Amino acid sequence: MAAAGGRVVPHPAHKKHPLPKAESIEVSGIRRAFTHGAAQHLPDADTRLTAERLTERGVVDLRGLERVAPNLTIQSINGTASTNFYLRGIGFNDFTQNNMGPVLAYFDDVPFAYSTMSSGLMFDMADVTVTPGPVGTQHGQSDSGGEIRLRTNDPTDSFHYGASQDIASYARSRSEAYVSGPIADGLSFRLAGQTRHGGGWQTDPLNGDHLGDADEWALRGKLRWQPDSRTTIMLSGHVVQDNSEVVGAVPIHRLIGGAALPTVGWQQSEWSARPEFTRLIGRKDGLKPSEHNWFWGWDLNVRHDFGPVTLTSISAFETEREGEYTDQDATAAAQADTYRTVNANAFTQELRLSNSHPDDRLQWVIGAFYQHTRMNQRFFFDYTDYVPARGYLQATSFGMDQESTSEFGHVSYRLPKHVTIFGGLLHEIDDRSITGLQSEIFGRSVTNFHAESTAAAQFAGQVGVSWQAARNVLLYYKMSKGFKPGGFTANNTQLQAQLAPFRPETVLTYELGLKSDPIPNRLRINAAAFYNDFHNQQILGTVLIPNYGPLSQLTNAPKSESWGFEGTLDIHPFRHLFLTQNLGWQRGNFQDFPTVNRARTNAYYAKTGMWRAINDNFSGVDNGQPKLTLNGQADWRQALSPRYGLEFGPDWSYRGAQALTPGGTGFYRLPPYFLLGAHMTLRPSNEHWQATIYATNILDRHYYTSGGQATTVYMYIPGAPRFIGGRISCGF
C-alpha cells in the first residue's frame, strides 16, 4: 500500500523475504536499472515513471502520458489545453469542464478539481504514478476511475542548479531551468521555470496564416523548513501564463446543409473570427484559435512524526482564469465559432494520521478531506452563417458552487506464510448547484433559467489479500467500490430540462494481479486483470431540441460493464539492451442505456429536413473505448570510453479505434493509429550534462487524436506530424 505523504510502505513480508539489491548495470559509470524495486511488493497495478523515462519519451504535458502507460487515453478537447482522461475505459467527454472527472490529476499531493488547472505544470519533475481503479481510501479525493499523481522535485540541502534547451521542427522551443539549495540551518528552497514557444504546424489554405504556436511560461517555487528531525513544513506556489494557439480541426462530414466541405491538406485547417464577434468578446481583430489563460495557486504541506504516529496536513488553493477561442466547425464560415471564459477557484484541505513504522505487522491510515470550488463560465457563439436555422450571436453564462467532505481509512495486517490482508472504507458527502444560467440571443431574446442542485452521500471501499509467493513473486486480489458525484450539463442550454442533474456513478471493480522478477536483473513481468460493474455510468449522450437540433448532454447509462487486462514487460537480455513494453486491452458494453441515437437522428434530418428524435437503447452495444493500447521502447546503452556513454533506440505507441458517440460507426469512430519515434543521447559518467537528438512520428503518419460534432459538421483533431529535434541539458 502507499501510505500518507506519498511514503511507500514496504510489503510486510520483507522480513521473511528481504529485497534484492537494486538491479543495475554500469555503462561508463552511468547507473541503469529496473526502477521501483520496492514497489514490486505492493498489491497494485500502478504504472510508476521516473523523470528520466519522461524525458526520454518527450513527455512534457499530461497528454504525453498515454505514450508511457497502458490502458490510458488523454484527449484534448477541440485541440485546447482542456483534457479528458480515460483509464481502463473509464472516463467521459466533458466539454465545459465544470464537472468532476472520473480520473483525477494530482500535483504534489494536491488534487486538481478541474483538469485545465494542471496545464503547464509538467516541468522539473521527480516522478509520475498512474493508478487505475477506484481510489480514495488512503488519501485525497475519492474517484471511480483512478488518479495520476505527479510529483515535482523538492528543495535540496546542498546547492544545485541546471538548465535544458530543446529545439525542434517548426521553430519549436522549450527551455527549463532550476536552482535549489540551503538558505539557513533547516531552511532550503527550490525555484524552477519553463518557457515554450513555436511548434505550430498548421496553416489556413485560404490565406496562408500560421496556426499552433505555443506561447507559455511557468514558475514554481518551494520553501522547505525542517525545524527539527521530526517536522517538515513545505510551502509551494506556482503561476502559469498560456497564450498558445490551439490545434485547428479538420471537417470530416457535413451533417447539416448542402455546402461542400473545404478541401484541406493534412497540415491545414480553416478558421475565421468576424470583427463583430471579436468586438463582442473584447479581443482584437484577426484573432486565431488560441488560449489566454492564467493559472496560479499555493499549497502548504506540514508533516510531523510523533513517534508512534505521523500527522500530515495539506492545504491548497488553486485558481483558473481562462479565455479560449475555437472555430469548432473548422471552416471559414461562422457556424460554430466559440469563445469561452472561465473563472474558477478551488480550496482543498486534507488531514491524515498514519503509523510511523513501516515494518509493523499492522499498517493503517485514517483521514479526512474537504473541497470547496466555485466557477463562473460564459460562452459566446457566432452562428451568423448557420442559416436559416439560427443566424445570430448568442451567449450562455452560469455559476457553479460545489462542496464535499469525506472521511477515509485503510488498514493492512501481515499474517503468517507471507499473506497480508487489507481493506479500506470511505464516506463522502457532495453538494453542488448551478446558478444564474442565462442564454442571450443578441438582438432577439434573453432566457433565464432557475437554479438546480444535486447532493449525494455514498460509501466506497476496498478489501483484498496479497501473497508473497516467493522472494520475487507477488500475487494479489482485491475488490473496490468507487463513487463519483453527479453534476450538470451547461453548454448551450435551450430548455430548463437540460439542466436536470445527472446522477452519481458507482462502480464495483474486481482485480487480480501479479508482480514478478522471475529472472532478477533480467526479466520483470507485471500484469493485472479487471472487471468493472457500473451503475449509472456517466457518459456523454444526446438530446434533441425541437427546431434546433441535437446537443450533447451528460447523462447516465443505468447498467454497463467493462473488463480487460494490462501488463508491463521489462527485459534486459544482455549487457547493453533494455526493453520495455506496456500492453492494455479492454472491452465493455452497455447493458441498459436508453438515449437518442445521434447517427440515426442526423441521418433522418439529412433525408427529410426535419428534426425528429430517433430513440434507441444501446443494450449490448460496445462502449467504444480503444480495445488495444501498446507502447514501449528499446534502449541500447554503450560505453564509448571510460568517461562517456551513448544510449539510443526506438519507441512506439499504438491506440485502437474509438467510437465518439454510443454505438458510433463510420465517421463517428476515430481511426486507430501507430506512431514510431527514436532518440540518441550522449552523456558523461558524472551525469553533469547530456545531449540528445530525437524524432517523433518518424513515419509522418496522418492520424487523429479526438473529435466530435459542432452544429453543422463532424470534425476531427489531427495529431502532430514528424518532429525532429535536439535537447541539451546540464545540472550541477
Side-chain angles (χ1 to χ4, degrees), residues 399-721:
M400 178 80 72
D401 294 314
Q402 177 266 338
E403 187 174 41
S404 65
T405 58
S406 62
E407 307 82 37
F408 58 85
H410 196 277
V411 62
S412 67
Y413 187 76
R414 185 178 75 246
L415 299 171
K417 305 296 183 182
H418 319 307
V419 173
T420 298
I421 56 174
F422 55 90
L425 187 64
L426 162 82
H427 179 257
E428 179 174 330
I429 299 175
D430 182 274
D431 293 282
R432 58 187 67 208
S433 61
I434 187 167
T435 59
L437 195 144
Q438 182 186 83
S439 181
E440 178 179 4
I441 299 177
F442 293 96
R444 297 191 188 181
S445 63
V446 176
T447 305
N448 292 297
F449 299 86
H450 64 72
E452 295 278 1
S453 61
T454 183
Q458 287 269 6
F459 283 94
Q462 181 182 99
V463 294
V465 59
S466 66
W467 176 39
Q468 194 73 48
R471 185 168 181 253
N472 297 310
V473 178
L474 175 76
L475 298 170
Y476 71 88
Y477 173 76
K478 61 183 176 182
M479 296 183 295
S480 307
K481 181 190 176 184
F483 162 73
K484 177 172 145 0
F488 305 93
T489 307
N491 177 30
N492 202 0
T493 304
Q494 300 298 313
L495 301 173
Q496 182 69 42
Q498 289 178 260
L499 289 182
F502 54 87
R503 296 186 294 276
E505 169 184 289
T506 61
V507 58
L508 186 60
T509 297
Y510 306 85
E511 182 177 313
L512 178 66
L514 162 72
K515 287 186 169 182
S516 67
D517 289 278
I519 308 176
N521 308 333
R522 298 295 183 184
L523 177 63
R524 173 176 291 176
I525 302 173
N526 292 345
F530 62 88
Y531 174 81
N532 296 316
D533 182 14
F534 293 98
H535 290 268
N536 291 320
Q537 182 178 8
Q538 296 166 4
I539 193 168
L540 189 67
T542 300
V543 60
L544 180 69
I545 307 301
N547 302 317
Y548 192 88
L551 291 176
S552 297
Q553 181 167 356
L554 292 167
T555 185
N556 298 92
K559 193 74 172 65
S560 56
E561 62 181 349
S562 66
W563 61 93
F565 63 85
E566 66 242 348
T568 297
L569 182 68
D570 288 303
I571 308 175
H572 172 39
F574 51 87
R575 183 182 178 190
H576 299 289
L577 184 60
F578 293 78
L579 296 166
T580 296
Q581 177 64 62
N582 292 315
L583 181 149
W585 181 87
Q586 71 91 30
R587 293 291 302 268
N589 58 60
F590 302 110
Q591 297 163 295
D592 180 24
F593 183 25
T595 187
V596 173
N597 188 316
R598 176 169 291 201
R600 294 175 59 190
T601 299
N602 284 333
Y604 181 86
Y605 179 84
K607 182 178 180 180
T608 66
M610 296 183 294
W611 286 119
R612 182 169 72 88
I614 309 297
N615 295 305
D616 203 348
N617 192 314
F618 287 97
S619 175
V621 173
D622 186 273
N623 65 8
Q625 286 302 302
K627 294 179 176 59
L628 179 65
T629 58
L630 297 169
N631 56 72
Q633 70 180 72
D635 290 318
W636 185 276
R637 296 165 182 170
Q638 178 71 50
L640 299 180
S641 74
R643 297 181 59 187
Y644 296 98
L646 185 69
E647 174 184 319
F648 60 91
D651 60 76
W652 53 88
S653 62
Y654 171 84
R655 192 183 76 182
Q658 178 184 1
L660 298 172
T661 63
T665 59
F667 59 83
Y668 292 102
R669 180 173 290 271
L670 206 64
Y673 64 81
F674 172 82
L675 301 178
L676 181 67
H679 75 282
M680 182 168 62
T681 298
L682 175 69
R683 67 182 95 198
S685 58
N686 61 19
E687 298 270 23
H688 285 329
W689 61 267
Q690 65 179 36
T692 300
I693 57 173
Y694 65 86
T696 59
N697 192 8
I698 291 176
L699 303 178
D700 205 24
R701 290 289 182 88
H702 298 175
Y703 66 102
Y704 302 100
T705 61
S706 61
Q709 180 174 340
T711 59
T712 61
V713 303
Y714 212 85
M715 53 83 178
Y716 289 164
I717 301 298

